[in-house]
Amino acid sequence: MAHWFHRNPLKATAPVSFNFYGVAGSPAANKICNDLRTTRARLLEMFTDITCNPEIMKNATDAYFSLLQGFIMPLDGTTQENKMRFIQNFKWTDTLQGNTPSGLNDLEIIAIIFLLLYSAHVCLLHSVSETEAKDVHRSLKIAAGIFKNLKDVHIPRLITPAEKGRDLEPRVIDAYIIQCQAEAQEVTIARAIELKHNATIIAALAFETANFYQKADHTLNTLEPECSSKWRKYLQLKQLFYMAYAYCYHGQTLLASDKCGEAIRSLQEAEKCYSRAESLCKEYRQTKGPGTTAKPSEQLFFLKLGGLIKMTLEKCQRENGFIYFHKVPAEPPQLDMKASYGLAEPVPFELPPLSEQCTPEVYATFDLTKGAKNDKAKPKEEEVKPVKEPDLKPQKDTGCVLS
């Protein structure tokens, strides 16, 4: 699946020491700072470890977030801002803006960015066994829920609004939510095809998935082309690919209902969509921009559809010449289908409970008046190095067989 899904670059960040030089005024406070440093570093390592499964990733994320909330949530019995929230500057890159980092003092935003990283990681599975396909399906729905949680809960609380084209601005967040849902439904469609479910169910699911991709593409149409063109080409080719699937399986439904002329027209439209998807695959590979270059047109799941459309159309034409003698309509059938099964809804996300280490008593021992008073005493700022992403080799057989 690594060469089926497009992925924007993983966000890069500088190491953070959490050494607050006198601010942490007790052994317990120092332990929280040390644990923040180690849990953050461990979590960062996991983002490029392809052997790391979603459960391990979640446990590592929870370990860091449970401590981080001690610097975000009010711990002094009031509703006032946590005094530690802005103590640390974090540097992060944005997925569409190259390697130039942004420096942020709002500590809450680090949690948001880690969520974005988590969402990117969970889709790095590269096998299509049934068990791992289930992991991919659930991980994509979790990712959609994380992005939705960011949009609804965390981003509105930020003091500095997100700049245009940055990861936290509405257009980018919405596109990630929709893409995660669409890709989760792709796994469902592959499973439905493998198990030979009713053609009507497959057509409806494919149509809904195509609409998701079209919606994500339209969400990005006002972004600067140099940072969004490649991503949009991917969304457009996937939209046409699943429209081809929808017309193909709808044609099978029409033939089963003895509407052979309409079936032929539906299959002809499937051919057109498939041909345009093939052309867009070439354009996508040639388009410069952020992110990995997927190779969907080289995968069996893509190639099999072309053969299926050809075979089904030829069958319909034979039957029409021998039995039905129906006129083929000039216009393709209107696809106004609603899927009743298999739609991917975002899994609701909540931050883990506050760590037991973060008590009001320990919080009181952090004293901002005793922090570093000159530049020499402040920790040295680390450089942001690009993330070296794993090279996932494509499988020889990447069809829709999941078991």
Side-chain angles (χ1 to χ4, degrees):
M1 288 188 180
H3 293 262
W4 180 255
F5 294 146
H6 171 90
R7 285 292 167 265
N8 289 325
L10 286 177
K11 295 166 71 65
T13 182
V16 177
S17 67
F18 292 99
N19 291 329
F20 294 138
Y21 294 96
V23 173
S26 68
N30 278 313
K31 186 176 188 311
I32 288 175
C33 295
N34 290 334
D35 289 349
L36 277 167
R37 180 177 63 255
T38 56
T39 54
R40 184 181 195 268
R42 188 179 303 122
L43 186 57
L44 283 171
E45 291 174 358
M46 291 182 180
F47 288 125
T48 54
D49 181 0
I50 62 173
T51 66
C52 177
N53 62 43
E55 183 180 359
I56 295 172
M57 173 62 72
K58 183 180 186 306
N59 291 339
T61 306
D62 286 353
Y64 179 65
F65 281 174
S66 66
L67 290 166
L68 188 64
Q69 287 188 88
F71 287 178
I72 300 171
M73 298 169 57
L75 297 181
D76 55 2
T78 71
T79 57
Q80 294 182 351
E81 197 75 69
N82 189 306
K83 64 186 178 183
M84 299 294 290
R85 179 171 174 176
F86 305 108
I87 193 173
Q88 177 68 55
N89 181 272
F90 296 89
K91 287 186 176 181
W92 285 91
T93 60
D94 287 274
T95 54
L96 301 179
Q97 302 296 330
N99 295 322
T100 303
S102 300
L104 301 163
N105 285 97
D106 187 344
L107 191 58
E108 183 176 24
I109 205 167
I110 193 67
I112 296 172
I113 294 172
F114 261 120
L115 290 172
L116 288 168
L117 271 168
Y118 171 73
S119 303
H121 175 274
V122 292
C123 306
L124 286 176
L125 293 173
H126 59 289
S127 174
V128 286
S129 71
E130 182 175 1
T131 300
E132 288 177 319
K134 287 179 179 177
D135 282 343
V136 171
H137 184 257
R138 176 161 179 79
S139 292
L140 285 162
K141 293 195 296 181
I142 290 172
I146 290 171
F147 284 123
K148 191 173 187 305
N149 182 269
L150 299 185
K151 178 185 175 184
D152 297 342
V153 179
H154 295 283
I155 293 176
R157 296 174 59 190
L158 297 178
I159 291 174
T160 305
E163 297 176 18
K164 291 182 179 180
R166 300 289 179 179
D167 288 337
L168 302 182
E169 77 119 310
R171 292 172 297 180
V172 178
I173 286 287
D174 283 340
Y176 276 126
I177 293 170
I178 300 164
Q179 181 177 333
C180 287
Q181 289 179 268
E183 289 179 348
Q185 286 182 193
E186 289 195 58
V187 180
T188 305
I189 292 169
R191 182 67 173 168
I193 292 169
E194 178 197 352
L195 296 180
K196 296 180 172 58
H197 280 295
N198 188 288
T200 304
I201 293 175
I202 297 172
L205 262 177
F207 181 63
E208 298 271 18
T209 303
N211 286 342
F212 268 138
Y213 277 117
Q214 185 177 57
K215 184 178 179 182
D217 176 47
H218 289 173
T219 300
L220 297 173
N221 64 7
T222 54
L223 281 182
E224 293 298 324
E226 57 267 23
C227 67
S228 64
S229 291
K230 191 176 188 68
W231 190 5
R232 290 192 63 199
K233 288 289 184 186
Y234 165 78
L235 299 172
Q236 291 162 11
L237 74 86
K238 282 295 187 76
Q239 188 264 338
L240 284 167
F241 178 69
Y242 282 101
M243 283 301 292
Y245 252 117
Y247 276 116
C248 178
Y249 278 89
H250 186 55
Q252 293 183 20
T253 301
L254 291 169
L255 180 61
S257 303
D258 296 321
K259 298 177 180 179
C260 197
E262 293 179 46
I264 290 172
R265 187 64 187 87
S266 188
L267 269 298
Q268 289 173 340
E269 195 65 22
E271 265 191 333
K272 288 182 182 179
C273 291
Y274 185 79
S275 177
R276 289 164 61 197
E278 284 184 310
S279 298
L280 273 173
C281 284
K282 295 176 184 177
E283 291 179 29
Y284 165 73
R285 287 196 297 269
Q286 295 167 358
T287 302
K288 295 181 179 180
T292 59
T293 299
K295 301 174 183 177
S297 60
E298 297 179 11
Q299 310 304 311
L300 271 181
F301 189 57
F302 190 98
L303 297 170
K304 283 180 177 179
L305 176 57
L308 178 64
I309 293 170
K310 185 175 184 293
M311 180 183 68
T312 310
L313 177 57
E314 289 175 351
K315 176 183 177 181
C316 289
Q317 290 170 332
R318 285 196 307 271
E319 296 300 308
N320 202 44
F322 279 102
I323 303 172
Y324 296 103
F325 304 102
H326 289 170
K327 182 180 179 180
V328 178
E331 297 296 324
Q334 292 294 315
L335 298 182
D336 188 20
M337 299 176 287
K338 295 290 183 183
S340 302
Y341 308 97
L343 291 177
E345 293 295 330
V347 174
F349 175 82
E350 291 183 358
L351 288 170
L354 181 68
S355 170
E356 293 180 355
Q357 294 176 241
C358 302
T359 65
E361 292 75 21
V362 175
Y363 177 74
T365 66
F366 285 97
D367 188 350
L368 296 182
T369 65
K370 296 181 180 179
K373 295 184 178 180
N374 58 70
D375 291 338
K376 292 182 179 180
K378 292 180 180 179
K380 180 182 176 182
E381 288 197 357
E382 299 279 356
E383 180 185 356
V384 178
K385 298 179 180 179
V387 178
K388 186 177 180 181
E389 301 190 32
D391 181 18
L392 302 180
K393 303 297 182 184
Q395 304 254 327
K396 288 183 179 179
D397 185 354
T398 51
C400 63
V401 178
L402 303 179
S403 60

